[in-house]
Amino acid sequence: MSALPAFFHPEQLAFKPRYEWAFGERIDHPETTGRAESILAALQADPLFSVRTPGALPAAALQRTHAQPLLTLYHTATLLEPGETFYPTVFPKESQGRGDPTRLRHAGHWCFDAGTPLTRETLPAATWSAACALEAARALGRDGVTLSYALSRPPGHHATRGLFGGYCYLNNAAIAARHLRRGGRRVAILDIDYHHGNGTQSLFYRDPNVLVVSVHADPTDAFPYFAGFPDETGAGPGQGYTMNLVLPRGTDGPRYLRALDDHVLPALRAYAPDALVLSAGLDTYHLDPVGDFGLTTEDLHEVGARIGRLRLPTVAVQEGGYYTPDLGRNAVALLRGLVVGQRPEAVASS
Ligand code: OKP
Ligand code: ZN
């Protein structure tokens, strides 16, 4: 079978967040360059994948998904000194438009946590990360491609139209979904990251043409704490087109797969989309230092297979996953699962 297109740009490695603030503690930042290197090495070692460099992201694609002040703020951060890192410490909740995005100290107007640093490399890395997602969406349908992969890093699913946070700056999956939407296609986004994709949810909350389904840890005691509850189901014309499935602490593979079978996959089938964007977080892995679920590498393969059996043209966009030593093999397990699910006859040994 033909190689599966995977997209990555080396400039994504120029952004190196070193630490974050977690409830007053300064901890090593989990969203390291080693994550992308682990996945890249695994893709390059596997003949199923063809790793390519994306084309530059058109400004229009960025502006369709994100508000100008947020983008201006990222430009302001490019003026930081080499090695300098900026963290917002003031988060205005009633700012009434008084933030000036050319002043870095105002950054908290567009940010919701202290885990998501700005450096001079943030914007170029995040832009290439988004370019991977757009290019993977463009690859669908070309030469019979039914599955593509964006090695997006930094991740994106927590970024809203106007806010960054949760290690996310630009919403890569949303940019891919917007592209697929053009021409009137119906798109579903399935977010399997351990954390709720609050950014993706909010971007499409009122949109009936993009179904957003997220399976994640209970936001009562897991990040992002403010969204992802089951009673959030969409609004206005989008009412009924958002679904949140909350799983308990310690959820293991069998329980996770049952939730997919009983709730998630039926909802996706009922919507009958033309294409699927998979927000492919791998932080449900049992060794993950951020999440507390118990999925094994084999479970992730099975998650992929079940999603693949939907037989939808699918763009997989990398989100979280922080146990670097196994990240590459877990990404490959999920992706190979998707391939097997889509084409059980094709893959056995390739
Ligand atoms: C990003 B993604 C407490 C701080 C909260 C934020 C987690 C962001 C996860 N340690 N950490 O969804 O994988
Ligand atoms: Zn996550």
Side-chain angles (χ1 to χ4, degrees), residues 66-82:
H66 290 290
Q68 191 54 54
L70 181 66
L71 302 174
T72 301
L73 178 71
Y74 296 155
H75 278 283
T76 304
T78 65
L79 305 175
L80 283 162
E81 297 299 324

Side-chain angles (χ1 to χ4, degrees), residues 46-328:
D46 187 327
L48 180 60
F49 303 98
S50 152
V51 181
R52 308 170 192 177
T53 305
L57 186 75
L62 212 47
Q63 289 161 350
R64 272 193 284 272
T65 292
H66 290 290
Q68 191 54 54
L70 181 66
L71 302 174
T72 301
L73 178 71
Y74 296 155
H75 278 283
T76 304
T78 65
L79 305 175
L80 283 162
E81 297 299 324
E84 208 183 344
T85 302
F86 183 87
Y87 286 83
T89 48
V90 179
F91 299 91
K93 296 284 186 167
E94 296 178 319
S95 72
Q96 309 191 300
R98 287 175 170 271
D100 174 354
T102 68
R103 294 173 189 265
L104 213 47
R105 288 188 175 194
H106 289 204
H109 283 264
W110 299 279
C111 179
F112 60 82
D113 74 2
T116 317
L118 295 172
T119 72
R120 60 191 278 138
E121 294 88 6
T122 302
L123 180 61
T127 304
W128 283 115
S129 183
C132 290
L134 181 65
E135 203 70 83
R138 284 187 176 140
L140 274 195
R142 242 189 244 154
D143 310 319
V145 168
T146 58
L147 177 63
S148 60
Y149 174 66
L151 206 186
S152 293
R153 174 275 161 189
H157 71 151
H158 296 300
T160 71
R161 183 167 184 76
L163 300 174
F164 68 104
Y167 316 159
C168 299
Y169 305 89
L170 300 173
N171 198 311
N172 309 312
I175 288 168
R178 280 245 141 88
H179 174 80
L180 294 171
R181 259 293 292 147
R182 296 164 77 195
R185 284 188 287 187
R186 282 152 66 83
V187 175
I189 302 176
L190 170 58
D191 189 328
I192 59 169
D193 189 277
Y194 171 86
H195 304 93
H196 174 243
N198 62 287
T200 310
Q201 169 172 307
S202 97
L203 277 157
F204 299 111
Y205 207 58
R206 303 179 60 84
D207 187 344
N209 296 306
V210 179
L211 175 72
V212 177
V213 179
S214 183
V215 196
H216 48 264
D218 189 345
T220 304
D221 62 9
F223 190 85
Y225 302 107
F226 62 85
F229 298 93
D231 65 353
E232 296 161 15
T233 56
Q239 180 58 243
Y241 297 97
T242 289
M243 179 176 146
N244 287 304
L245 193 74
V246 163
L247 295 172
R249 271 176 179 283
T251 291
D252 63 5
R255 187 158 188 174
Y256 191 94
L257 292 168
R258 212 177 321 128
L260 284 189
D261 287 344
D262 293 351
H263 303 285
V264 172
L265 299 169
L268 289 165
R269 284 201 188 88
Y271 186 71
D274 301 304
L276 178 69
V277 175
L278 180 65
S279 265
L282 298 168
D283 40 8
T284 53
Y285 186 51
H286 66 112
L287 295 175
D288 196 275
V290 176
D292 62 18
F293 286 180
L295 277 65
T296 63
T297 303
E298 295 68 35
D299 292 329
L300 290 164
H301 183 273
E302 187 54 34
V303 167
R306 294 193 193 200
I307 296 166
R309 277 178 220 130
L310 292 167
R311 299 213 172 207
L312 293 170
T314 299
V315 184
V317 178
Q318 187 61 47
E319 301 283 359
Y322 304 97
Y323 187 70
T324 305
D326 294 347
L327 206 51

